Amino acid sequence: MSLVTLLPFIVLIGAMFLMTRSAKKKQQAAAQMRSDMQPGTGVRTIGGMYATVKEIQDDTVLLEVAPGVHAVYAKNSIGAVLDDAEYNRIVHGDDSDGTLVPDDASSLTDGESTADDDVAKIDLGKKAEDETVAKEAKGAETKDAKADGESDAK
């Protein structure tokens, strides 16, 4: 057999080796991350739930998902071990940069003037003469629409 005949098989075996090698590295990194877990650290499960580690056993982890609520999870279900700052930012909403978002728009104004001072009050109630003008205009539109419709039909 010549080298040209064996070249596709060599390339295929090399590609499979590289793919399994990268997958094995990812598995080792995940196992190392799970072994570095300590009680009290914040974690995210593969399902997206954030919790605090309470106890670590051989194959299971006891997580506190809410104050006083504990659940037992498999160690393999831990997707990420989070540092304290990231966990507090996500779970408790603590912003370390000090940026605060106001609850309402009133705190965004300077407080120098209010809307009542700048804008005169507008009466939104209908008046009797406005109603008669509106009725007359509506009647004129109806007559024009019939005339247009009749001319299209012919």
Side-chain angles (χ1 to χ4, degrees):
M1 293 186 111
S2 69
L3 183 63
V4 176
T5 310
L6 293 177
L7 188 61
F9 294 113
I10 293 171
V11 170
L12 183 63
I13 291 171
M16 288 182 2
F17 172 74
L18 290 175
M19 286 190 290
T20 57
R21 183 175 169 213
S22 66
K24 188 178 278 190
K25 281 187 178 183
K26 287 181 184 178
Q27 286 177 348
Q28 287 175 348
Q32 180 67 29
M33 177 224 17
R34 289 182 187 111
S35 67
D36 289 344
M37 276 191 300
Q38 301 277 331
T41 59
V43 295
R44 182 182 66 235
T45 64
I46 57 174
M49 182 182 65
Y50 293 91
T52 305
V53 176
K54 287 298 176 183
E55 281 183 27
I56 301 172
Q57 297 172 358
D58 292 336
D59 293 332
T60 60
V61 178
L62 181 67
L63 300 178
E64 184 177 30
V65 295
V69 179
H70 297 89
V72 178
Y73 279 81
K75 262 190 178 179
N76 292 337
S77 68
I78 303 300
V81 177
L82 308 171
D83 59 349
D84 290 337
E86 184 178 6
Y87 181 77
N88 288 332
R89 181 183 60 81
I90 293 170
V91 174
H92 301 296
D94 297 342
D95 287 335
S96 61
D97 62 354
T99 305
L100 295 175
V101 178
D103 289 339
D104 59 351
S106 65
S107 64
L108 297 175
T109 60
D110 293 334
E112 297 170 1
S113 63
T114 61
D116 295 336
D117 297 339
D118 297 340
V119 179
K121 295 194 178 202
I122 299 172
D123 184 21
L124 298 176
K126 284 190 172 183
K127 296 179 182 175
E129 44 189 64
D130 290 342
E131 291 177 8
T132 57
V133 170
K135 285 181 185 177
E136 290 174 0
K138 188 175 182 181
E141 289 175 3
T142 307
K143 290 178 184 178
D144 291 340
K146 288 181 183 177
D148 289 340
E150 292 172 357
S151 63
D152 290 341
K154 292 181 183 177

